[in-house]
Amino acid sequence: MQNDNLHILTATPSLANHFVAELRDVSVQHDSLRFRRNLERLGELLAYEISKTLPYETRDIVTPLATTQTQLLTAQPVLATILRAGLPMYNGMLNYFDKAYSTFVGAYRVEEENTELQINMEYLASTDLHDKILILADPMLATGRSLVKSYKGMLRHGKPVQVHIAAAIASPEGVAYVQKEVPEAHIWLGAMDERLNEHFYIVPGLGDAGDLAFGPKV
Ligand SMILES: O=P(O)(O)OC[C@H]1O[C@H](OP(=O)(O)OP(=O)(O)O)[C@H](O)[C@@H]1O
Ligand SMILES: O=c1cc[nH]c(=O)[nH]1
Ligand SMILES: [Mg+2]
C-alpha cells in the first residue's frame, strides 16, 4: 500500500481518538444524536487537516484600525457525499468550508448471500467539477466500491484538478481498491482498521453507520 497520499488522524493521538472511540463503543454509539455529532466533528477535523494542503493567496483585510494582509484560500473546494450515512460528516465539512458548493450521490450496498457486493447508484446531483478541488466524504470505506462508483459517476460533471477522499474508518482492502482505481486521490482517514469480514463489514469497525445515524433500513 502506497502511503504518500494517505493520512490517518488517529496515528497521532488527539481528540480524534475520543470521537472515533465513541463511534465504535456499543455503550455510546446508540445515542444517535451523539453518533451523528461525532461524525460531524470528524468531518470538521478532517476539513481542517485538508485545508492545510490547499492553495492560498495573499489578501488585504480592512479592520476598523488598519489594513492587514493574510493568506486565504484561492478557491473553495466542492464538497461531495454519499447518501445517507455521509450526511453528518459532510455537514461537518460544510461547517468549515462554509462557502463550498456541493455534490450529492445516492448509493447503497446490496448485500446478498453468496454474491459479489453490488452498489446501486440512483441519484447524482452535482455542481460543475471542472478544475475544482473535490472533497468526497463518506464515513465507511469498506470495499471502496461505493466511493469509486460515485467518483466515476461524478466525472460526467467535469474533471477535478485535485481529489480528496475522507472517511471516518477504512479497511486496508478498501484503501487499496481506491488507490488502484483513483491513484490521484489524497486519502484522509479517522482510523485504519484490520480487515473486512465475510459480509464486507469493517472489523473492528462500528457496525452500520447509516443505521446508527438514521435508524435501520427496511
Ligand atoms: O466501501 P463500501 O463497501 O462500498 O461500503 C461503504 C458504504 O456503505 C455505507 O453505505 P450503505 O450502503 O450502508 O448505505 P446507507 O448510507 O444508506 O446506510 C457507507 O456509508 C458507504 O457508503
Ligand atoms: O462496516 C461497514 C461497511 C459498510 N457500511 C457500514 O456502515 N459499515
Ligand atoms: Mg448502511
Side-chain angles (χ1 to χ4, degrees):
M1 190 173 296
Q2 138 222 336
N3 283 319
D4 299 354
N5 283 340
L6 179 62
H7 312 265
I8 305 173
L9 267 187
T10 52
T12 307
S14 75
L15 282 174
N17 294 49
H18 288 253
F19 305 158
V20 175
E22 288 196 354
L23 288 170
R24 296 183 192 278
D25 187 334
V26 290
S27 69
V28 180
Q29 65 172 187
H30 290 283
D31 175 351
S32 59
L33 175 65
R34 194 165 190 88
F35 187 84
R36 292 191 300 272
R37 182 63 188 120
N38 279 322
L39 286 178
E40 188 180 25
R41 294 201 282 189
L42 279 175
E44 289 167 351
L45 291 183
L46 289 167
Y48 178 66
E49 292 299 320
I50 293 170
S51 78
K52 296 177 190 170
T53 71
L54 300 182
Y56 287 78
E57 63 191 2
T58 305
R59 300 269 288 274
D60 286 344
I61 303 291
V62 181
T63 83
L65 305 178
T67 297
T68 186
Q69 290 195 322
T70 192
Q71 299 289 309
L72 296 179
L73 286 172
T74 54
Q76 287 283 321
V78 172
L79 303 183
T81 199
I82 306 175
L83 306 174
R84 70 192 159 144
L87 284 173
M89 264 186 88
Y90 157 80
N91 211 41
M93 296 215 157
L94 191 61
N95 289 344
Y96 278 26
F97 292 113
D98 53 19
K99 296 183 180 66
Y101 289 168
S102 298
T103 290
F104 297 98
V105 181
Y108 57 93
R109 307 190 333 162
V110 182
E111 296 156 28
E112 283 165 8
E113 287 296 321
N114 306 320
T115 58
E116 275 240 334
L117 189 72
Q118 301 292 325
I119 309 298
N120 276 5
M121 199 174 89
E122 294 176 353
Y123 176 82
L124 175 72
S126 187
T127 188
D128 179 17
L129 298 177
H130 183 67
D131 277 351
K132 300 289 182 351
I133 294 173
L134 176 68
I135 304 178
L136 172 52
D138 189 10
M140 306 306 281
L141 200 178
T143 65
R145 264 51 178 187
S146 302
L147 274 166
V148 168
K149 187 163 184 171
S150 298
Y151 175 66
K152 291 189 172 170
M154 285 176 209
L155 293 179
R156 291 202 297 272
H157 300 280
K159 177 93 176 103
V161 67
Q162 205 179 88
V163 56
H164 299 266
I165 287 178
I169 298 178
S171 75
E173 298 92 321
V175 169
Y177 182 70
V178 170
Q179 288 178 329
K180 177 165 78 71
E181 295 292 321
V182 192
E184 68 274 26
H186 302 259
I187 301 177
W188 301 82
L189 305 177
M192 173 81 97
D193 275 7
E194 287 165 21
R195 62 185 172 87
L196 292 177
N197 70 12
E198 63 279 20
H199 302 292
F200 308 107
Y201 271 74
I202 300 172
V203 180
L206 52 72
D208 191 301
D211 288 2
L212 287 160
F214 299 115
K217 265 196 258 195
V218 290

